[in-house]
Amino acid sequence: MKQYIIKGGIPLVGEVDIAGAKNAALPIISAAIMTDETVTLENLPDVNDTNVLLEAIRNIGAQVDRVDRHTVRINGSTICDCAVGYECIKKIRASYYLIGALLGKCSKAEVPLPGGCNIGSRPIDQHLKGFRAIGANVDIKYGKVIANCSHMHGAHIFLDTVSVGATINIMMAACRSEGLTTIENVAKEPHVVDVANFLNSMGANIKGAGTDVIRIRGVEKLHGCTYSIVPDMIEAGTYMMAAAATRGDVVVRNVIPRHLEAITAKLMEIGCEIEEGDDSLRVVAKRRLRRTHVKTQPYPGYPTDMQPQIAVLLSLSEGTSVVTESIFENRFKYVDEMTRMGAQIKVEGNTAIIDGVEGLTAARISAPDLRAGAAMVIAGMAAEGFTIIDDIEYIKRGYEDLDKKLRILGAEIEEVETEREIQKFKLTAG
Ligand code: UD1
């Protein structure tokens, strides 16, 4: 079993390059199969989730050529099967994007219900409501979503919940429907806009992405294109929190600062200095930070995917902070791990009350899910002593070279598998 071992207490200093956004890459890989022409994707993050999805589309007949680590060529003309296998897909939540993509391409789809991080019940009723509205028959049988349609047409859809997945999925299928589809109360995340931009580069006609209403006029055909995926705001935010928690000085490069405003605002509020460049942000934390309140919200609010990371930071800040999770109901599983490191956090319903402590101490902990796993790495880097983190497969789903990038910033972190490797690390760590 692979683990991270970390010697904490070292401020992170230096510059780090941010990869393409996983949550944009997953729908974009899915949408790329909707044309029979070749699509070249650049700035693709090399993380487990994207690799699993590439394997899944290869398994249904798509041609996938890795040009280099971050560039892939996809050709969907050879797709011969609209039934996606369970083995690959059970591991990733975003398998649901293949429903919208296959409906758009071949008017039918059979996709196993998604797996992914266990952070709440995660229904997909809004996705299905949208597909039905544009004319698809949708059933859930034998653990799969089975959808087909003889004629997809425009519709007016009002989402009951602001959902990133439902917005993107319906948008993809509607690209190939006849007439105008209007989706209201949509998600406005940068990755929603990125997927719309990508589909438009393929010849779709989508307007309004990034606002509350998206209008899609269906087109006969989509064509090939070359597209570079937007930088990952959550990866960037994670390094910003890591810089702050270790009282470091870090520049995150290849970012769009506007996408990070909710995170930047919170860091400034609690006492970090932030310097904004054209495509970079510098975070400096010179002293112990202050308390605050955080409530997760759809974009442009504070992202739920950055909730565990800021909770770690606040567990080390002065005073009592309150973190309210309003998107997913099961996103405080890391609190038990933090308690083992000396944090003082009490969870009541969807709220965590955090009494800041002077310091954390190392412990053997595990990564409860992807983002909480990254938060545990931050906790380990801020804590005194050697922290060992189990279940790091969760972290590898969404962070490219996390340990390597942190080492560039001066962290003592290593991926290990055996007791011998752990002992060696302890002997050699600076
Ligand atoms: C995506 C992201 C995830 C992020 C989340 C919110 C991917 C692969 N994952 O997840 O990292 O945390 O957005 O920014 O991009 N809901 C329903 N019915 C639905 C769909 C959603 O009730 O049909 C609810 C969910 O339970 C949740 C809220 O809507 O409470 C938001 O979920 P959604 O935005 O859909 O999240 P995901 O797309 O699953």
Side-chain angles (χ1 to χ4, degrees):
M1 187 180 61
K2 291 196 167 133
Q3 301 163 310
Y4 284 140
I5 181 164
I6 301 166
K7 182 179 180 231
I10 303 164
L12 295 185
V13 178
E15 301 188 346
V16 61
D17 286 321
I18 300 306
K22 167 185 89 76
N23 287 351
L26 295 169
I28 286 176
I29 290 171
S30 308
I33 64 169
M34 290 173 71
T35 169
D36 284 346
E37 297 176 15
T38 298
V39 168
T40 304
L41 300 179
E42 298 170 345
N43 203 31
L44 185 77
D46 183 15
V47 294
N48 283 359
D49 272 17
T50 51
N51 292 330
V52 167
L53 190 59
L54 288 171
E55 191 55 32
I57 62 166
R58 193 181 271 130
N59 287 346
I60 55 170
Q63 291 168 46
V64 177
D65 297 317
R66 198 116 204 178
V67 179
D68 59 40
R69 190 173 182 202
H70 297 123
T71 309
V72 72
R73 261 199 299 262
I74 296 172
N75 186 297
S77 64
T78 43
I79 287 184
C80 46
D81 193 355
C82 291
V84 179
Y86 180 66
E87 268 320 301
C88 273
I89 240 56
K90 70 177 179 193
K91 302 178 197 143
I92 58 166
R93 171 109 200 121
S95 55
Y96 55 48
Y97 288 130
L98 289 172
I99 312 171
L102 285 168
L103 262 182
K105 184 180 180 70
C106 3
S107 303
K108 60 179 180 177
E110 247 189 71
V111 180
L113 276 169
C117 276
N118 178 19
I119 54 176
S121 68
R122 307 191 81 171
I124 57 164
D125 57 304
Q126 297 304 303
H127 305 230
L128 306 188
K129 168 176 139 168
F131 296 143
R132 288 186 179 120
I134 56 176
N137 298 310
V138 186
D139 261 335
I140 297 186
K141 276 190 198 155
Y142 312 111
K144 298 176 198 170
V145 176
I146 302 176
N148 59 69
C149 56
S150 47
H151 171 65
M152 283 202 297
H153 50 75
H156 193 112
I157 301 158
F158 196 103
L159 296 180
D160 301 336
T161 315
V162 178
S163 158
V164 171
T167 302
I168 293 178
N169 226 345
I170 301 167
M171 187 167 79
M172 287 198 290
C175 280
R176 298 293 320 284
S177 305
E178 198 181 322
L180 179 70
T181 299
T182 306
I183 323 174
E184 298 209 45
N185 197 30
V186 293
K188 295 181 279 205
E189 269 69 0
H191 32 286
V192 173
V193 178
D194 206 42
V195 180
N197 288 342
F198 168 67
L199 287 163
N200 283 341
S201 308
M202 288 208 301
N205 182 350
I206 302 172
K207 296 206 167 87
T211 73
D212 292 315
V213 185
I214 296 181
R215 289 186 179 80
I216 307 128
R217 190 160 291 281
V219 293
E220 281 278 318
K221 198 170 170 283
L222 295 170
H223 54 70
C225 69
T226 296
Y227 192 80
S228 181
I229 291 165
V230 74
D232 196 320
M233 59 181 259
I234 304 300
E235 189 198 15
T238 301
Y239 285 99
M240 291 165 76
M241 294 293 161
T246 59
R247 294 194 203 170
D249 180 347
V250 170
V251 179
V252 289
R253 290 192 305 216
N254 182 32
V255 298
I256 299 176
R258 191 170 42 85
H259 294 170
L260 289 153
E261 271 171 7
I263 296 162
T264 309
K266 273 296 156 200
L267 286 174
M268 286 168 76
E269 189 184 317
I270 62 177
C272 289
E273 289 167 29
I274 309 273
E275 263 175 43
E276 190 177 314
D278 287 344
D279 64 352
S280 66
L281 280 168
R282 178 176 175 200
V283 180
V284 186
K286 290 191 181 135
R287 57 188 75 83
R288 192 171 177 209
L289 299 169
R290 297 186 288 269
R291 57 167 294 284
T292 189
H293 290 348
V294 178
K295 185 176 179 187
T296 63
Q297 282 173 327
Y299 189 84
Y302 188 87
T304 172
D305 283 358
M306 287 299 302
Q307 182 262 100
Q309 299 90 319
I310 200 163
V312 169
L313 190 52
L314 296 175
S315 76
L316 286 159
S317 300
E318 226 170 330
T320 301
S321 299
V322 177
V323 175
T324 305
E325 173 55 60
S326 61
I327 312 287
F328 294 111
E329 73 265 27
N330 196 11
R331 234 176 169 173
F332 287 126
K333 284 188 295 175
Y334 61 86
V335 166
D336 290 344
E337 310 301 308
M338 291 292 298
T339 304
R340 305 187 66 238
M341 300 180 81
Q344 289 186 15
I345 309 178
K346 197 171 151 206
V347 177
E348 283 179 8
N350 67 344
T351 300
I353 300 147
I354 304 174
D355 283 321
V357 293
E358 289 272 348
L360 297 171
T361 50
R364 179 153 179 176
I365 54 175
S366 54
D369 58 60
L370 165 60
R371 303 304 173 186
M376 294 308 94
V377 172
I378 298 176
M381 288 187 305
E384 192 187 306
F386 292 98
T387 292
I388 294 178
I389 305 180
D390 292 328
D391 297 331
I392 62 170
E393 285 309 314
Y394 280 119
I395 304 173
K396 288 161 166 271
R397 286 188 38 213
Y399 290 90
E400 183 181 302
D401 294 341
L402 180 67
D403 53 338
K404 193 170 156 197
K405 288 185 182 182
L406 288 171
R407 278 196 298 275
I408 291 171
L409 297 174
E412 294 275 8
I413 176 171
E414 199 80 50
E415 187 178 314
V416 289
E417 224 174 340
T418 61
E419 190 52 40
R420 207 187 141 108
E421 285 172 343
I422 292 175
Q423 291 313 326
K424 189 174 160 211
F425 178 87
K426 285 186 174 172
L427 282 173
T428 52

